[in-house]
Amino acid sequence: MPLWSALLLMMLTGRAAAADALEALFAQDRRLASVAGQLLEANAPICPAQMPLTGMILHSRDQYAGDWADPLFTQGAVAIAQILPGSAAAMAGLQPRDGLVAVAGQTPVATGATLREAALALLTSQWRPGDDLHLQIRREDTLREVVLHPARGCRAVVEIGTGNGLSARTDGQVIQIPQELSTAASDADLAAIVAHELGHVILQHRLRLEAAGVDKGLLGEFGRNRRLLRQAEEEADRLSVHLLANAGYDPASAPAFWRSALGRRVGGGLLRNRAYPSPERRAELLDDEIAGHLEIGAAFHGAEHLVPLRDQPITGDD
């Protein structure tokens, strides 16, 4: 969980401001986790990889600079920052500031990333769909054995991102939503944004674009790169309405987002990257997808015309 805003305020105005900034960030993290959790769980059947949905929002001591954060980690270097109501962690009685000592007997060890990332990797690697998850927790300096009964979800870590601006992004495993964007978005907007990024994960665009040799830098706006990137964006847009419907959100919230003032700002206006469709083009594409491919009243929307694309080369063809 990135804490750039809290750290900056702490350096500028002291601990009180840092605490306020941290709580504001925690509030957005809770909100994002709740919205994303519905999408991750509902769409697990069509995700290429799955993970346990524990309801724990973790952080680790090595994410913070300075001794001001020490009180958050009195029970261990990896701790629970927050617990989602009604989650497996809440049902097991876990609490914020509990230390996560081990997962299935294995202690998180950072290897190039943070301890938080190592703990998240362990939670996934030591679990199989339908299995319980065995944790060792420290609370008040006492070790406890805790068993969670997590739901299965799409394998994607969704978090508040560290960057400024309004651009959400994913590397195929982590979905980052900037705090500025999350704060400005309604819950319906936030669901539409996460559904689009989850569409990239499900359709494995990172791997497909890398296999096609796509340059996402300055050359991404031109020629073949532009065609391939635009195809990926439009595939993710189209899939997003099916993901929203599966999670109980209104699919129409996706085109509505792109027609909103916030959606137009996210789209970039005159300065937008030309590899990406305009907000109006996105809205029209989504309208067409809903009208032509979304079966009203279906128990589950498998998007059989889209999901198999993840096993095909990305070509840029219309």
Side-chain angles (χ1 to χ4, degrees):
M1 174 172 35
L3 297 164
W4 60 275
S5 58
L7 292 173
L8 179 60
L9 276 178
M10 183 196 71
M11 290 186 288
L12 293 177
T13 60
R15 293 171 182 257
D20 290 344
L22 184 61
E23 180 49 42
L25 183 61
F26 277 3
Q28 289 304 317
D29 249 336
R30 288 192 297 270
R31 180 168 166 253
L32 176 60
S34 178
V35 169
Q38 291 179 237
L39 286 158
L40 296 177
E41 181 174 0
N43 291 292
I46 56 174
C47 286
Q50 298 177 348
M51 70 178 189
L53 299 179
T54 65
M56 297 185 296
I57 299 177
L58 300 176
H59 58 171
S60 57
R61 183 63 185 85
D62 55 2
Q63 292 179 270
Y64 300 75
D67 61 4
W68 71 276
D70 288 346
L72 301 173
F73 298 96
T74 59
Q75 302 303 307
V78 180
I80 298 174
Q82 302 178 81
I83 297 288
L84 295 185
S87 65
M91 297 294 289
L94 295 182
Q95 300 175 6
R97 301 203 180 191
D98 285 348
L100 177 61
V101 177
V103 179
Q106 297 194 37
T107 302
V109 177
T111 55
T114 64
L115 278 169
R116 170 184 174 268
E117 304 308 317
L120 291 172
L122 265 184
L123 287 169
T124 298
S125 67
Q126 299 304 308
W127 170 85
R128 297 291 180 272
D131 288 353
D132 293 335
L133 195 56
H134 294 260
L135 308 180
Q136 190 175 60
I137 297 293
R138 181 180 287 113
R139 182 187 301 167
E140 297 178 354
D141 296 321
T142 300
L143 290 178
R144 305 167 182 236
E145 302 296 328
V146 176
V147 179
L148 301 189
H149 310 290
R152 63 172 182 159
C154 297
R155 184 173 181 175
V157 176
V158 185
E159 63 184 20
I160 299 295
T162 58
N164 294 317
L166 297 173
S167 296
R169 59 180 58 85
T170 181
D171 64 0
Q173 296 182 334
V174 177
I175 294 172
Q176 289 192 341
I177 311 296
Q179 187 174 3
E180 181 181 354
L181 177 57
S182 176
T183 302
S186 68
D187 284 357
D189 293 337
L190 198 55
I193 294 163
V194 173
H196 171 83
E197 298 302 327
L198 183 58
H200 283 305
V201 173
I202 292 173
L203 294 172
Q204 302 192 107
H205 283 141
R206 174 77 177 258
L207 295 176
R208 293 166 65 202
L209 289 168
E210 286 179 352
V214 169
D215 182 349
K216 295 188 73 173
L218 292 176
L219 298 178
E221 294 191 45
F222 303 99
R224 176 176 175 272
N225 284 342
R226 175 175 172 174
R227 293 195 304 275
L228 297 181
L229 288 169
R230 178 161 294 201
Q231 179 182 335
E233 286 298 305
E234 293 188 349
E235 286 179 2
D237 275 339
R238 293 168 63 200
L239 182 57
S240 71
V241 296
H242 301 272
L243 306 183
L244 288 166
N246 288 337
Y249 291 107
D250 183 357
S253 64
F257 168 73
W258 288 110
R259 290 189 172 105
S260 70
L262 179 60
R264 291 193 296 273
R265 286 175 61 203
V266 171
L270 294 176
L271 298 179
R272 70 181 175 84
N273 186 324
R274 299 298 162 177
Y276 298 98
S278 68
E280 186 54 38
R281 164 64 181 164
R282 288 185 189 269
E284 292 172 354
L285 184 73
L286 290 162
D287 284 339
D288 290 344
E289 184 67 24
I290 292 170
H293 294 283
L294 200 66
E295 183 182 350
I296 304 301
F300 185 78
H301 303 266
E304 290 84 0
H305 61 302
L306 293 172
V307 173
L309 294 175
R310 68 183 175 207
D311 299 319
Q312 301 175 19
I314 196 162
T315 63
D317 295 336
D318 293 332

